[in-house]
C-alpha cells in the first residue's frame, strides 16, 4: 500500500500521509511541484517532542483520535451505551485514482468503519466525503462527525459571515487566538446568520492579496464551522453537521454520511477563493446557465402582496411585457384560505375565492405574452388553521403534546412522515400539471423549534426530505426550476445549490443594503444563482428612497428581476427599465460566466466590483458610492483583471439613467478612452464625486 498520496490541480495541492496507520493531511495549500522524496517530506514535517508531553511526536490524523495522544476536539464523537467512545482506526484499504484518494479504515474493537474520499477537482476545490458504519452488534450513537483540515501557522485571521432577516451575510473578521471559534446553526435551516463558508487568512489578506483557505458545507440543516488553535500553536479548520441529541443512532449495519465539505485555497486573496467556487459550480451540467440564460424575472410580492386579482395581474403582465420581462412569479396567497399570513399553509389547492377558474387564465395571459409562469409554495409548513392540520395534526414537528411557539402563525410540517411528504408532493404536482408552470419559488419562513418526529430530533431527516422532494419534483416536471427562499436569504448554502436553481438573496430590496448583502453572499455563490430585483422607489423594508439608476446598477449583478408595481411607473421610468432590461439581456452571458473582481478600496466610501470575461475580451465594472467622500476628490478606479498588454475601449454606461454627481466638470474619459489593461490597473480612471447611494457602470472592451 502506498503511504503518501499527493493530489494537485490548478495551483492547489493536498498531500495525504498514511504512515501512522491513520490518514493525516500533511499539506493543504499551494502546489508543491514534484515531490522527489516522500521520506524527506515526512522527515521535514515531523514535529519535535516538547517537554511535559508524550514521548513521541503526536500525529492526530484526520480523525484526531485521543488514542493517538491528541487532546483537542476529536473528529468523531459518539458512544455505544457509554462504551466505544474512544477509537483507534486502522487503514484497511487506500488507493488513488486520478484526482481522488479513497481510504477505508476500521476499529474492530469499537465495531466501526470509516470510508473517506478526497477529491481535488480541476478547479482546485477539495471535496471530502466521510461515511461511518456501525459494524458492531448494538446501536452506536454519533454525536459529532466533523471534517478537519490543517492550516499553517502563518494563518492569523478568520473571516466569516453573520446576519439576520434583511441583513444577511455581514462579514466578521477576527484574530485567531488559542481556543475554538465556532459558528453553529440550530435553526433547522442554514439560516440568515449562516456563513456559507468560513475563511482563514494570512494577516491583512484582502480580495486581491494574501493567502486564504476556505471550508464550506454541502448541507442545509443544522451546522457547525470551527477554527481551533491549540495550545501547541497548531491551527485547524472544520465543518460538519450539528447533530441534536439522539438524532444519529446507528443500528447495527447502519451508516451515517457526513455532509460533503468543499475546501479551497487561494494565494490571490478572497477573489481567488470565489473564482475556484464559481468555476466548480458552473462546470455542473445542470448549472442553470448551462441550460438557458437566466430570464429577466418579475415577482409580484411587493407589487400586490396578498391582493390577487386577475385584472391587476394582467395589467402588470402587460407592462412587464413592454419592459421585456421573461418570467412572472405569482407569490403567496393563491391557495386554500391564505388571504393573509394567518392561515392556509398546507392546503396547496387553488383558492376559488380569488381564482374562480383556477390559475389557467393567468397562465394563458402570460403564455400569450411569451412570459414564463412561476408560482410560490411553502410546502414544509402547516398552519393550525388549515384543512391539512385539521386532518393530520400529527404531521407537525413537535415534542410530545407540546406545539412549538408559532412563527408567522405557522408550524413546520413533518416531512419525515411519508404521508405528509406524499401529501405535499401530490398536491404540488397537481397544481403544476393544471397549467404551464415552469418555475417555483419555494419559501421556508420560520425556524425549526423543538423539531421532533415521534419524540426524536428530526432536522437531519427533514433536510434529506426536502432534497428528495425537490429532486422528485424536478424529475416529474423536466425543466422545472426551483428558487430556494427562506424569509429572503435564510437558506442559501452549498447543499441547496445542488437541488435548486436560484436563491432569493434577501427580502431587502433596498439597493444600498443589497450592495453589501450581494457582495458577501457572492463569496462562494455565483451571481446567476442570486435573485436581485429592482424594488420600489422607496424600499418597503427600510423606507430609504433610491434613484432608479442606483437600483438598476445594483440589481444587474445577480439573476436580475423587478419586484415593484410597475403599472404605476412614469413613461420615463418604463423607458429606463426597458433600456436596463435590454442591457441585462445583452450582457447576462458575460455577467453570469466571468471572473468576479472586487477591487480593494482605500476606504469604506465606495465599492468597485466587476465581472471580467474568462477570455478577458470584455469587462463590466460597477462603481457604487456608499457614503459621502471624506476628501473632495474620490477614489481612483483601478480596473483589475484585464490583459495587461491589450488595449481596451472604456466607456461609461448608465443603463437606467444617469447617476447624480456633485461637482462642476465630469472626468474627461466619460466620452470614451482607449487604454491598456496595465494602464487601467495601474493608473486607473478618475471618478466624479458621486453623491452617496449612486452608481454607474464602466465597460471595457478589448480593441
Ligand atoms: C418571504 C419571502 O422572502 C418573500 O419574498 C415572499 O415570498 C413572502 N415570504 C411571502 O409570504
Amino acid at each position: 500500500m502506498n503511504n503518501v498520496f499527493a493530489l494537485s490541480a490548478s495551483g492547489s495541492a493536498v498531500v495525504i500521509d498514511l504512515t501512522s496507520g491513520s490518514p493525516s493531511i500533511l499539506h493543504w495549500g499551494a502546489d508543491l511541484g514534484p515531490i522527489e522524496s516522500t521520506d524527506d517530506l515526512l522527515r521535514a514535517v515531523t514535529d519535535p517532542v516538547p517537554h511535559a508531553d508524550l514521548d513521541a511526536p503526536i500525529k492526530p490524523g484526520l480523525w484526531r483520535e485521543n488514542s493517538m495522544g491528541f487532546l483537542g476536539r476529536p473528529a468523531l464523537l459518539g458512544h455505544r451505551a457509554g462504551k466505544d467512545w474512544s477509537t483507534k482506526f486502522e487503514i484497511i484499504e487506500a488507493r488513488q485514482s486520478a484526482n481522488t484518494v479513497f481510504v477505508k479504515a476500521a476499529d474492530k474493537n469499537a465495531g466501526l468503519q470509516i470510508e473517506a474520499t478526497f477529491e481535488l477537482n480541476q478547479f482546485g476545490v477539495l471535496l471530502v466525503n466521510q461515511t461511518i458504519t456501525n459494524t458492531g452488534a448494538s446501536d452506536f450513537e454519533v454525536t459529532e462527525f466533523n471534517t478537519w483540515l490543517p492550516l499553517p501557522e502563518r494563518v492569523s485571521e478568520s473571516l466569516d459571515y453573520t446576519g439576520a432577516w434583511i441583513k444577511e451575510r455581514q462579514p466578521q473578521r477576527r484574530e485567531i487566538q488559542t481556543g475554538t471559534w465556532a459558528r453553529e446553526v440550530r435553526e433547522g435551516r442554514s439560516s440568515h446568520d449562516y456563513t456559507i463558508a468560513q475563511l482563514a487568512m494570512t494577516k491583512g489578506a484582502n480580495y486581491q492579496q494574501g493567502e486564504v483557505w476556505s471550508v464550506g458545507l454541502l448541507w442545509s440543516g443544522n451546522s457547525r464551522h470551527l477554527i481551533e488553535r491549540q495550545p501547541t500553536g497548531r491551527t485547524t479548520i472544520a465543518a460538519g453537521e450539528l447533530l441534536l441529541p439522539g438524532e444519529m443512532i446507528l443500528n447495527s449495519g447502519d451508516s451515517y454520511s457526513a455532509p460533503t465539505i468543499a475546501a479551497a485555497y487561494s494565494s490571490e486573496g478572497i477573489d481567488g477563493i470565489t473564482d475556484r467556487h464559481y468555476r466548480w459550480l458552473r462546470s455542473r451540467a445542470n448549472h442553470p446557465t448551462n441550460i438557458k440564460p437566466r430570464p429577466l424575472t418579475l415577482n409580484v410580492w411587493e407589487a400586490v402582496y396578498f391582493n390577487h386579482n386577475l385584472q391587476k395581474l394582467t395589467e402588470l403582465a402587460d407592462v412587464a411585457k413592454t419592459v421585456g420581462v421573461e418570467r412572472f412569479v405569482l407569490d403567496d396567497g393563491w391557495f386554500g384560505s391564505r388571504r393573509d399570513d394567518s392561515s392556509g399553509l398546507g392546503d396547496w389547492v387553488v383558492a376559488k375565492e380569488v381564482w374562480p377558474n383556477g390559475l389557467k387564465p393567468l397562465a394563458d395571459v402570460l403564455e400569450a405574452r411569451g412570459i414564463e409562469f412561476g408560482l410560490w409554495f411553502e410546502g414544509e409548513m402547516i398552519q393550525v388553521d388549515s384543512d391539512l392540520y385539521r386532518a393530520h395534526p400529527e404531521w407537525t414537528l413537535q415534542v410530545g403534546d407540546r406545539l412549538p411557539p408559532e412563527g408567522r402563525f405557522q408550524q413546520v410540517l413533518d416531512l419525515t412522515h411519508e404521508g405528509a411528504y406524499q401529501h405535499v408532493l401530490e398536491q404540488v404536482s397537481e397544481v403544476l400539471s393544471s397549467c404551464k408552470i415552469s418555475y417555483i419559488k419555494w419559501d421556508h419562513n420560520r425556524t425549526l423549534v423543538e423539531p421532533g418526529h415521534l419524540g426524536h430530533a428530526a432536522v437531519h431527516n427533514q433536510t434529506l426530505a426536502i432534497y428528495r422532494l425537490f429532486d422528485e419534483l424536478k424529475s416529474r416536471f423536466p425543466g422545472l426550476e426551483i428558487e430556494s427562499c427562506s424569509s429572503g436569504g435564510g437558506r442559501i448554502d452549498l447543499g441547496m445549490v445542488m437541488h435548486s436553481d436560484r436563491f432569493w438573496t434577501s427580502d431587502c430590496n433596498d439597493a444600498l443594503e443589497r450592495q453589501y448583502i450581494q457582495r458577501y453572499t457572492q463569496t462562494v455563490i455565483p451571481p446567476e444563482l442570486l435573485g436581485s430585483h429592482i424594488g420600489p422607489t422607496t424600499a418597503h423594508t427600510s423606507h430609504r428612497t433610491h434613484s432608479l439608476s442606483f437600483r438598476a446598477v445594483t440589481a444587474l449583478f445577480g439573476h436580475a428581476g423587478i419586484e415593484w408595481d410597475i403599472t404605476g411607473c412614469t413613461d420615463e421610468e418604463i423607458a429606463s427599465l426597458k433600456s436596463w432590461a435590454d442591457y441585462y439581456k445583452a450582457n447576462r452571458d458575460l455577467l453570469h460566466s466571468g471572473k468576479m473582481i472586487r477591487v480593494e478600496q482605500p476606504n469604506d466610501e465606495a465599492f468597485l466590483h466587476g465581472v471580467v470575461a474568462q477570455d478577458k475580451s470584455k469587462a463590466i465594472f460597477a462603481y457604487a458610492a456608499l457614503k459621502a467622500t471624506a476628501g473632495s476628490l474620490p477614489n481612483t478606479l483601478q480596473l483589475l483583471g484585464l490583459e495587461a498588454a491589450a488595449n481596451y475601449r472604456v466607456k461609461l454606461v448608465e443603463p437606467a439613467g444617469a447617476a447624480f454627481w456633485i461637482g462642476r466638470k465630469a472626468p474627461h474619459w466619460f466620452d470614451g478612452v482607449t487604454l491598456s489593461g496595465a494602464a487601467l490597473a495601474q493608473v486607473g480612471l478618475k471618478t466624479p464625486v458621486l453623491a452617496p447611494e449612486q452608481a454607474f457602470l464602466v465597460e471595457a472592451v478589448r480593441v
Side-chain angles (χ1 to χ4, degrees):
M1 193 162 65
N2 197 346
N3 273 335
V4 178
F5 291 118
L7 300 170
S8 78
S10 187
S12 289
V14 180
V15 181
I16 303 166
D17 161 25
L18 306 177
T19 50
S20 63
S22 165
S24 285
I25 311 286
L26 182 155
H27 168 76
W28 167 45
D31 191 17
L32 301 180
I35 299 170
E36 295 292 330
S37 157
T38 51
D39 282 353
D40 282 355
L41 186 62
L42 290 170
R43 269 199 283 274
V45 299
T46 301
D47 273 324
V49 177
H51 276 298
D53 211 329
L54 301 183
D55 296 339
I58 295 166
K59 211 168 171 183
L62 179 69
W63 299 308
R64 302 155 64 92
E65 293 165 289
N66 192 226
S67 56
M68 310 287 272
F70 181 70
L71 298 174
R73 187 176 184 137
L76 173 68
L77 291 172
H79 64 101
R80 191 186 301 280
K83 294 195 174 153
D84 297 335
W85 53 274
S86 184
T87 57
K88 189 160 188 352
F89 282 96
E90 283 175 12
I91 297 171
I92 48 178
E93 192 183 336
R95 58 174 186 270
Q96 176 171 4
S97 62
N99 57 350
T100 302
V101 170
F102 170 81
V103 179
K104 190 184 205 173
D107 178 340
K108 292 208 177 75
N109 295 327
L112 295 167
Q113 185 176 294
I114 295 178
E115 293 186 344
T117 58
F118 306 83
E119 179 197 345
L120 185 65
N121 68 23
Q122 58 177 304
F123 314 103
V125 176
L126 173 67
L127 299 167
V128 186
N129 284 293
Q130 299 205 74
T131 297
I132 179 159
T133 302
N134 176 13
T135 54
S138 58
D139 292 353
F140 183 87
E141 177 177 2
V142 179
T143 53
E144 184 171 311
F145 190 29
N146 295 328
T147 300
W148 290 84
L149 295 173
L151 295 168
E153 282 77 61
R154 61 185 181 278
V155 155
S156 67
E157 293 176 74
S158 72
L159 169 66
D160 47 50
Y161 302 91
T162 175
W165 179 69
I166 65 167
K167 198 86 187 168
E168 293 88 343
R169 253 50 77 189
Q170 303 304 306
Q172 47 182 12
R173 199 166 170 150
R174 66 194 286 279
E175 192 190 335
I176 297 173
Q177 294 187 325
T178 304
T180 306
W181 175 239
R183 297 297 319 284
E184 294 191 337
V185 174
R186 294 168 188 271
E187 285 192 15
R189 57 177 176 180
S190 38
S191 87
H192 296 91
D193 165 52
Y194 188 52
T195 185
I196 310 185
Q198 191 178 41
L199 282 62
M201 318 190 280
T202 49
K203 196 165 185 59
N206 62 28
Y207 281 108
Q208 271 81 56
Q209 285 166 0
E211 288 181 287
V212 186
W213 289 256
S214 77
V215 168
L217 201 58
L218 277 67
W219 188 241
S220 312
N222 288 337
S223 65
R224 185 182 276 124
H225 285 77
L226 304 163
I227 293 181
E228 182 185 270
R229 175 159 289 173
Q230 290 182 270
T232 57
R234 297 289 183 254
T235 308
T236 38
I237 185 167
E241 180 179 4
L242 187 152
L243 294 164
L244 294 172
E247 196 170 25
M248 195 51 62
I249 296 176
L250 302 179
N251 300 142
S252 177
D254 281 357
S255 296
Y256 165 65
S257 291
T260 305
I261 65 152
Y265 163 77
S266 161
S267 57
E268 297 170 342
I270 302 164
D271 276 353
I273 295 289
T274 299
D275 187 51
R276 290 194 192 283
H277 281 82
Y278 286 15
R279 287 192 294 134
W280 161 48
L281 295 174
R282 286 171 175 165
S283 71
R284 300 170 307 139
N286 62 350
H287 190 71
T289 47
N290 291 331
I291 296 165
K292 65 175 190 181
R294 307 254 59 193
L296 185 71
T297 299
L298 180 126
N299 181 296
V300 307
W301 179 241
E302 291 200 4
V304 301
Y305 290 104
F306 285 103
N307 303 319
H308 289 199
N309 170 299
L310 181 59
Q311 194 190 328
K312 171 73 184 179
L313 293 168
T314 305
E315 284 166 31
L316 207 45
D318 281 332
V319 186
K321 169 79 184 154
T322 310
V323 166
V325 164
E326 299 163 305
R327 174 180 283 160
F328 183 104
V329 182
L330 181 66
D331 214 281
D332 196 355
W334 57 268
F335 54 92
S337 61
R338 185 85 170 169
R339 301 294 77 76
D340 57 32
D341 60 8
S342 64
S343 72
L345 291 176
D347 302 337
W348 304 105
V349 177
V350 181
K352 288 269 178 260
E353 213 183 315
V354 272
W355 295 100
N357 301 309
L359 295 172
K360 179 101 180 23
L362 179 62
D364 291 345
V365 163
L366 296 172
E367 194 169 8
R369 286 155 187 76
I371 300 175
E372 286 180 34
F373 184 11
L375 192 63
W376 183 95
F377 290 91
E378 195 181 359
E380 291 151 278
M381 298 292 155
I382 183 167
Q383 280 178 304
V384 170
D385 187 359
S386 69
D387 292 343
L388 180 63
Y389 190 85
R390 283 181 279 275
H392 289 287
E394 77 283 8
W395 286 351
T396 308
L397 282 177
Q398 67 185 87
V399 169
D401 295 337
R402 194 161 67 219
L403 264 184
E406 290 194 337
R408 209 189 186 202
F409 314 112
Q410 64 199 56
Q411 297 291 352
V412 186
L413 182 66
D414 181 354
L415 288 180
T416 72
H417 273 294
E418 192 56 21
Y421 176 91
Q422 291 301 334
H423 164 83
V424 180
L425 176 66
E426 293 309 328
Q427 283 203 334
V428 173
S429 296
E430 193 158 333
V431 176
L432 297 187
S433 308
S434 69
C435 53
K436 216 168 149 191
I437 297 170
S438 54
Y439 185 80
I440 60 179
K441 173 180 176 184
W442 190 279
D443 217 333
H444 182 291
N445 280 307
R446 63 155 298 165
T447 53
L448 273 58
V449 175
E450 290 205 312
H453 168 85
L454 304 178
H456 292 278
V459 174
H460 178 84
N461 288 339
Q462 181 82 356
T463 307
L464 294 181
I466 191 59
Y467 290 162
R468 175 183 160 209
L469 188 72
F470 282 180
D471 295 350
E472 200 153 352
L473 284 171
K474 277 170 161 279
S475 84
R476 278 190 184 189
F477 299 93
L480 179 75
E481 285 190 22
I482 300 179
E483 173 176 19
S484 164
C485 171
S486 186
S487 299
R491 192 157 65 183
I492 305 179
D493 59 76
L494 290 166
M496 197 45 91
V497 165
M498 304 299 159
H499 303 273
S500 64
D501 306 276
R502 187 197 212 233
F503 295 106
W504 183 222
T505 314
S506 175
D507 274 349
C508 187
N509 287 318
D510 169 323
L512 178 63
E513 298 294 340
R514 275 293 185 131
Q515 283 286 339
Y516 297 93
I517 294 169
Q518 290 173 193
R519 180 185 191 80
Y520 300 121
T521 308
Q522 287 170 0
T523 304
V524 295
I525 307 287
E528 63 271 22
L529 298 184
L530 296 170
S532 57
H533 297 172
I534 294 182
T537 311
T538 297
H540 290 188
T541 49
S542 67
H543 281 254
R544 263 197 208 111
T545 297
H546 286 128
S547 65
L548 180 51
S549 75
F550 183 54
R551 281 137 66 212
V553 167
T554 304
L556 201 66
F557 288 82
H559 177 183
I562 300 169
E563 188 157 339
W564 179 19
D565 184 0
I566 50 175
T567 61
C569 283
T570 62
D571 291 349
E572 197 191 338
E573 284 172 328
I574 294 296
S576 293
L577 281 174
K578 188 168 171 4
S579 138
W580 168 79
D582 290 346
Y583 190 80
Y584 168 69
K585 289 180 199 170
N587 290 287
R588 61 186 156 193
D589 285 352
L590 162 61
L591 291 166
H592 296 166
S593 67
K595 180 171 181 179
M596 174 72 70
I597 312 258
R598 286 149 297 203
V599 184
E600 281 295 335
Q601 299 295 294
N603 51 45
D604 60 2
E605 293 167 1
F607 281 158
L608 173 61
H609 58 89
V611 177
V612 180
Q614 296 295 343
D615 67 0
K616 302 191 177 177
S617 58
K618 184 172 175 183
I620 299 173
F621 285 86
Y623 182 69
L626 307 168
K627 354 177 129 157
T629 53
S632 57
L633 292 173
N635 307 337
T636 298
L637 306 183
Q638 278 182 283
L639 304 190
L640 303 183
L642 300 170
E643 195 181 325
N647 277 327
Y648 290 84
R649 186 72 188 159
V650 176
K651 64 171 189 193
L652 173 79
V653 181
E654 296 182 307
F660 181 74
W661 49 274
I662 314 159
R664 292 164 56 210
K665 285 205 171 117
H668 290 208
W669 62 269
F670 266 23
D671 300 330
V673 284
T674 301
L675 289 169
S676 69
L680 287 165
Q682 299 303 322
V683 179
L685 303 166
K686 299 301 174 199
T687 58
V689 186
L690 274 193
E693 298 161 34
Q694 296 285 327
F696 59 75
L697 301 177
V698 183
E699 212 182 84
V701 179
R702 193 165 57 199
V703 289

